[in-house]
Amino acid sequence: MDDEFAKLIRRMNPPRVVIDNDVCEHATVIQVDSVNRHGILLEVIQFLVDLNLVITKAYISSDGGYLMDVFYVTDINGQKIGDQATISYIKTTVETNASFLNSMRSSVGVVPSKEYTSIELTGTDRPGLLSEVSAVLTDLSCSVVSAEIWTHNARAAALLHVKDQSSGCAIEDQKRLLKIKKLLCNVLRTNGDLRTPSMSISSARVLHGERRLHQMLFADRDFERLDCVNYNSRPHVTILDCSDRDYTAVTIRSKDRPKLLFDTVCCLTDMQYVVYHGTVVTGRMEAYQEYYIKHVDGFPISSEAERQRVMACLEAAIERRASEGLELELYTDDRFGLLSDITRILREYGLCIRRAEISTMGRKVKDTFFVTDASGNPVDPKIVDSIQHQIGRTILQVKGNLNTPPKLPQEPARSFFFTNFFKGRSFQSFKLIKSCS
């Protein structure tokens, strides 16, 4: 009965979206007013970032069963949303498309697919791991259609969509699937690893790979710190009691980058915390996030152990997508075994793949690799030059600067705590915000 009543309330109060290009000089302002439920904030943010929009500022409020959120967004070039079709799509999708909320709610899971077979892998990271995995798949006549690979804290997670090389369809033969699983498990096993590698194969397609990778690494406990890893550049997370409001206050200070807000809210949501109020401000060098949270059971964080755990998990969620290493982009005609050949070349030159995204578009393939040397240091430009000479300079291109990026200057910490955050905070007050600075 409670679930049916909640559905009735949502039908009677559909989401309302206001998109304004005039209130701010540098960004498009998107206001979302809706009945609140756990996870809806993440769904809206996920929807915006999937449109390649950059959230430069956000104000979040969800007390009393309703949420009133404001997002300042630009395109990837830092410009306002000028395309009316995109503006209409955002408004229509969030407000009127009922399947949007239903599909986004289950976006962690999978949907049946006759085109691809999904493979999920988690285990200990090491040099050449992706090369070995892709070599096994090539030997087994599996073509990699798309893949995302993240590494963090000496752990690795990979989400691959593969198909049979001859038929071009999903692999359904159970004996063949068992063989694939056995050989890949052998690749993942390492001597002295106290954690058992994890692997699953299914005839389904993961709806949102990035959120799934967050969950895979979280389940693999990549947030547990290792003594052998340097964490000097990790985000600064502070968690304080806010007893007068019965909240837990979370502040995060880190380097700004795309999808930072998504990664943070994804972590809190998957840990079963609800954001009741929040302020996000990004600058040229750093981003500042502040949240007032409770667990879904209505209680704030009550123990030091849980406080430390939430801090570690937030730090890990932000670090996973950090662009560690030199970015290499491969764009060429697709062919069977290409991924195996490219990753073998990178391995032979002593490079480690820290993060990768593999995609095929018709007969073309576009692969992005973030690489370091075996010790995690910047890649020698001479090695990159040799690799480009072997593969082709027009095929493999370097994105960004080959030199080591300078360390960012430390700006003084800023805080919005205990100002007027709770005073007069309403949806109408958000509309009065005129400045983007």
Side-chain angles (χ1 to χ4, degrees), residues 121-130 133 150-157 187-198 217 220 226:
L121 304 169
T122 55
T124 301
D125 185 30
R126 69 174 188 276
L129 179 60
L130 179 57
V133 169
W150 288 2
T151 66
H152 175 252
N153 203 18
R155 309 303 297 172
V187 170
L188 290 174
R189 290 193 181 95
T190 58
N191 295 329
D193 189 3
L194 299 178
R195 304 181 195 177
T196 304
S198 175
L217 285 169
D220 198 42
L226 301 177

Side-chain angles (χ1 to χ4, degrees), residues 150-152 214 222-223 225 233-238 250-268 287-289 291 310-324 355:
W150 288 2
T151 66
H152 175 252
H214 273 302
D222 74 319
F223 53 86
R225 296 292 176 183
S233 61
R234 69 183 184 184
H236 182 70
V237 181
T238 303
V250 179
T251 59
I252 305 170
R253 180 173 175 239
S254 66
K255 181 180 178 181
D256 187 30
R257 60 164 175 78
K259 300 187 178 181
L260 177 63
L261 178 59
F262 168 80
D263 293 337
T264 304
V265 176
C266 182
C267 174
L268 292 172
Y288 302 89
Q289 304 177 68
Y291 303 102
V310 173
M311 289 175 58
C313 289
L314 284 170
E315 291 170 354
I318 293 171
E319 292 170 343
R320 288 169 194 149
R321 203 198 293 271
S323 299
E324 180 183 359
R355 187 159 59 92

Side-chain angles (χ1 to χ4, degrees), residues 130-269:
L130 179 57
S131 175
E132 294 179 34
V133 169
S134 56
V136 167
L137 293 174
T138 299
D139 290 342
L140 296 173
S141 298
C142 299
S143 178
V144 178
V145 179
S146 63
E148 289 185 84
I149 299 93
W150 288 2
T151 66
H152 175 252
N153 203 18
R155 309 303 297 172
L159 177 60
L160 306 99
H161 291 147
V162 304
K163 63 181 180 181
D164 178 64
Q165 189 266 332
S166 58
S167 68
C169 300
I171 302 168
E172 298 180 342
D173 181 72
Q174 291 300 313
K175 290 184 178 180
R176 187 178 176 191
L177 291 174
L178 286 174
K179 185 177 182 180
I180 293 171
K181 186 170 185 178
K182 178 181 178 181
L183 293 178
L184 288 179
C185 282
N186 289 338
V187 170
L188 290 174
R189 290 193 181 95
T190 58
N191 295 329
D193 189 3
L194 299 178
R195 304 181 195 177
T196 304
S198 175
M199 178 186 172
S200 66
I201 300 179
S202 64
S203 58
R205 178 173 59 88
V206 176
L207 288 173
H208 201 272
E210 293 174 344
R211 186 172 180 192
R212 182 61 189 142
L213 286 167
H214 273 302
Q215 291 183 325
M216 291 164 63
L217 285 169
F218 173 72
D220 198 42
R221 303 183 68 82
D222 74 319
F223 53 86
E224 294 180 346
R225 296 292 176 183
L226 301 177
D227 294 336
C228 59
V229 179
N230 183 9
Y231 299 109
N232 289 336
S233 61
R234 69 183 184 184
H236 182 70
V237 181
T238 303
I239 297 180
L240 303 172
D241 290 330
C242 190
S243 55
D244 59 329
R245 293 284 178 174
D246 203 26
Y247 295 122
T248 295
V250 179
T251 59
I252 305 170
R253 180 173 175 239
S254 66
K255 181 180 178 181
D256 187 30
R257 60 164 175 78
K259 300 187 178 181
L260 177 63
L261 178 59
F262 168 80
D263 293 337
T264 304
V265 176
C266 182
C267 174
L268 292 172
T269 302

Side-chain angles (χ1 to χ4, degrees), residues 36-54:
N36 191 31
R37 61 171 172 76
H38 182 57
I40 192 171
L41 172 63
L42 176 60
E43 292 163 8
V44 174
I45 295 172
Q46 179 177 306
F47 174 68
L48 295 176
V49 299
D50 284 349
L51 292 175
N52 289 323
L53 298 178
V54 178

Side-chain angles (χ1 to χ4, degrees), residues 334 360-364:
D334 190 21
T360 55
M361 300 164 288
R363 296 183 179 180
K364 294 288 186 178

